[in-house]
Amino acid sequence: MSITIIDYGSGNLRSAAKALEAAVSNTNLNLKIVVTSNPEVIKKSNKVILPGQGSFRDCYLGIKKISGLEDALNEFVLVKKKPIFGICVGMQLFAKIGYESQETKGFGWVDATVKKINNINKTLKLPHMGWNQIEFKKDFTLFSGLKNKSHMYFLHSYEFLTKQKDCIIATANYGNSIIVAIARENIFGTQFHPEKSQRNGLKILENFLKWEF
Amino acid sequence: MLKSRIIPCLDVKNGRVVKGINFVDLIDAGDPVEQAKIYDEQGADELCFLDITASNENRDIILETVKKTAEKCFMPLTVGGGVRTLEDIRNLLLAGADKVSINTAAVNNKNLVKESSEKFGSQCIVVAVDAKKVQENKWEIFTHGGRKSTGIDALKFVGKMESLGAGEILLTSMDRDGTKKGYDLDLTKKVSKLVNIPVIASGGVGNLEHLHQGIKIGKASAVLAASIFHFGEHTILEAKQYLDSKGIPVRI
């Protein structure tokens, strides 16, 4: 089985790759991890991880710049229905529109938008940076082995907003309740960084590797 | 609820720790990766490397250190020291740093903070501010490891950095650094209230109560310390238990 981490010029792929390797060693699975932007390799892989660092706009434009990548991902997710895991901005890109710096279209796999975290009273520090506890909204296979209210590492100023309440699987409190994990069929995403969340994060990566969708 | 962060800082020179954990059972006490692993196991919330390598030809060594650390420690890592260009930032991020801290270059080249936060996102751009009290309620920015005076007002400077796109301020009091007398709480509180981005208090920690004061009185989002952890006076867990006993929300 092969797992592909999508390389589209967004930083810190190394951390994701190394954390994934550590997660693999916790399983008995025979897995190959590939870091690439090659659409042909992506098509053949079993699962995909879409990391993300930087702005929504830069990330989506980065994907569009690579010939065939956007189409390959759409096919992978919508037609082949194979599992995808979006991390941070990677998850945000699942939305229809992002409003970071300027309005930008996303993949639109989930009926959602991405907007700056509501900070009307200026009582919150932004970015939402550091360790926060996540509250499960659903009993979900990718959370198995984790306790409700586990700590995860966050680093973002924009939040994922959706009216599709059924896809919200975890929230965290930062001023308001913010959506921090979503899942729908073969699509899974976290606002937090599992690759930086020590043991808890590795557990989620391990669960994704084992996930039989 | 978001937790207050405790960040141990390691000074690294030519790929070796010069100010770090002084534990007898360390196989190689000078290896930053070994030390990072200990802090990871102790539950540090983040780790900070300050590269103090003097010569330019040895500057790439820190990239190797960051790479090796990122292979072993799955926790957030901030790296600073000698960061001058977008290329420096990109290289550190690609090696595995999550945040890069900019000190002297933020003063000399304001475009760097603006351009880098636009390019890589505010979330990974930390501006490290070294401030010294010059009169009552007035602090001045110093650069080059605190040796060079700039005449720039520290409070005005941090506001400017925020507007240029900095995602966090690492605030070091040059008066307190190395004294073990505690943070400059007045300065920390003023900066924390002024900016809307997280502030890391730094400089002067001599005991656990100082960490508490930095958060409670200084309103810092995170507290950085070096020697109280390095010399085994306290573990990260002890620090967290102390803060917890004082009602500060921490991750234990």
Side-chain angles (χ1 to χ4, degrees):
Chain A
M1 193 158 80
S2 78
I3 312 277
T4 298
I5 299 175
I6 310 291
D7 177 8
Y8 59 98
S10 161
N12 213 348
L13 294 176
R14 198 181 159 77
S15 301
K18 290 293 162 191
L20 208 56
E21 279 173 23
V24 168
S25 66
N26 292 340
T27 70
N28 294 319
L29 302 169
N30 184 18
L31 293 168
K32 200 174 95 186
I33 296 162
V34 190
V35 180
T36 186
S37 62
N38 183 335
E40 294 310 312
V41 177
I42 293 165
K43 280 176 193 168
K44 283 180 202 144
S45 63
N46 302 85
K47 291 177 186 177
V48 154
I49 291 186
L50 187 65
Q53 209 181 39
S55 80
F56 186 102
R57 185 172 176 78
D58 274 5
C59 287
Y60 203 71
L61 295 182
I63 288 173
K64 282 183 98 106
K65 238 180 13 200
I66 297 164
S67 169
L69 180 58
E70 190 186 18
D71 290 344
L73 286 170
N74 273 318
E75 187 193 292
F76 187 91
V77 172
L78 299 177
V79 182
K80 305 275 189 214
K81 296 237 177 235
K82 290 197 252 185
I84 185 165
F85 182 177
I87 297 172
C88 195
V89 184
M91 173 188 90
Q92 294 183 351
L93 294 176
F94 296 175
K96 284 190 168 159
I97 303 168
Y99 291 95
E100 188 165 359
S101 69
Q102 65 187 87
E103 190 174 320
T104 308
K105 206 179 78 64
F107 283 108
W109 297 330
V110 181
D111 188 2
T113 55
V114 175
K115 289 183 180 163
K116 194 151 196 177
I117 293 174
N118 189 346
N119 195 11
I120 298 167
N121 299 326
K122 294 240 171 196
T123 49
L124 297 173
K125 295 276 184 183
L126 285 183
H128 173 216
M129 184 188 281
W131 297 83
N132 206 334
Q133 286 166 294
I134 65 165
E135 283 184 44
F136 299 157
K137 294 291 152 188
K138 274 185 185 175
D139 187 14
F140 189 61
T141 43
L142 291 178
F143 290 147
S144 72
L146 284 175
K147 287 194 187 109
N148 191 23
K149 301 202 171 170
S150 288
H151 284 97
M152 297 291 175
Y153 188 76
F154 289 86
L155 192 51
H156 66 119
S157 299
Y158 286 75
E159 65 174 319
F160 191 90
L161 299 162
T162 180
K163 288 188 180 127
Q164 281 186 277
K165 301 290 177 210
D166 57 321
C167 72
I168 302 167
I169 54 168
T171 60
N173 198 299
Y174 196 57
N176 294 305
S177 169
I178 57 173
I179 297 168
V180 299
I182 55 153
R184 218 193 69 195
E185 299 182 291
N186 53 324
I187 297 169
F188 173 58
T190 62
Q191 182 62 66
F192 51 86
H193 289 271
E195 78 281 16
K196 291 289 160 183
S197 296
Q198 295 172 331
R199 244 177 241 119
N200 292 342
L202 291 186
K203 187 69 198 162
I204 289 192
L205 289 172
E206 193 186 315
N207 289 342
F208 179 70
L209 297 173
K210 291 181 187 162
W211 194 24
E212 287 176 23
F213 176 74
Chain B
M1 175 185 242
L2 188 69
K3 303 300 158 73
S4 296
R5 286 170 283 152
I6 297 184
I7 309 173
C9 179
L10 296 166
D11 286 1
V12 181
K13 188 177 183 181
N14 298 319
R16 305 288 292 169
V17 175
V18 289
K19 219 168 90 182
I21 311 168
N22 211 4
F23 294 159
V24 280
D25 53 350
L26 263 185
I27 301 160
D28 180 358
D31 181 3
V33 184
E34 288 288 321
Q35 303 220 355
K37 274 160 68 181
I38 289 179
Y39 285 132
D40 189 15
E41 283 155 20
Q42 287 186 359
D45 296 309
E46 277 180 29
L47 200 61
C48 181
F49 282 160
L50 180 63
D51 183 25
I52 54 167
T53 305
S55 67
N56 277 326
E57 58 264 37
N58 288 337
R59 296 215 48 95
D60 284 349
I61 298 173
I62 190 72
L63 296 176
E64 277 310 306
T65 305
V66 172
K67 275 185 189 170
K68 285 183 193 146
T69 306
E71 281 172 19
K72 304 275 184 206
C73 301
F74 305 107
M75 64 185 295
L77 176 64
T78 301
V79 184
V83 176
R84 285 184 181 84
T85 63
L86 287 177
E87 201 53 28
D88 292 339
I89 298 170
R90 180 197 302 281
N91 288 339
L92 285 167
L93 292 175
L94 288 177
D98 300 282
K99 297 187 269 183
V100 171
S101 95
I102 310 172
N103 178 241
T104 302
V107 175
N108 294 342
N109 172 15
K110 296 217 167 53
N111 279 334
L112 183 63
V113 173
K114 187 169 190 294
E115 285 171 10
S116 60
S117 60
E118 279 169 6
K119 189 147 196 63
F120 308 109
S122 289
Q123 86 290 337
C124 66
I125 303 301
V126 182
V127 173
V129 174
D130 293 341
K132 206 171 192 165
K133 194 168 187 170
V134 284
Q135 62 187 70
E136 203 51 42
N137 284 321
K138 198 167 168 58
W139 292 264
E140 192 182 310
I141 300 289
F142 278 66
T143 57
H144 298 83
R147 292 189 305 276
K148 208 170 152 188
S149 142
T150 64
I152 299 168
D153 181 80
L155 297 177
K156 281 186 189 145
F157 182 76
V158 292
K160 177 113 202 226
M161 290 300 116
E162 180 183 27
S163 67
L164 288 171
E168 191 172 38
I169 299 287
L170 167 51
L171 180 66
T172 304
S173 158
M174 299 313 295
D175 304 301
R176 296 302 178 91
D177 204 25
T179 64
K180 291 184 167 275
K181 286 180 180 166
Y183 299 117
D184 183 335
L185 296 171
D186 213 13
L187 169 70
T188 310
K189 188 176 170 179
K190 283 202 164 61
V191 171
S192 299
K193 286 203 160 168
L194 189 73
V195 295
N196 216 14
I197 52 179
V199 173
I200 306 171
S202 158
V205 173
N207 58 50
L208 298 181
E209 176 54 23
H210 290 150
L211 300 176
H212 174 229
Q213 289 168 351
I215 298 165
K216 183 81 183 168
I217 303 169
K219 308 286 177 203
S221 299
V223 283
L224 183 137
S227 55
I228 61 160
F229 298 128
H230 299 332
F231 300 115
E233 287 168 44
H234 295 287
T235 64
I236 301 285
L237 181 63
E238 281 167 14
K240 288 190 169 182
Q241 283 166 339
Y242 181 80
L243 292 177
D244 182 52
S245 75
K246 295 284 176 180
I248 302 286
V250 286
R251 178 182 67 116
I252 295 184

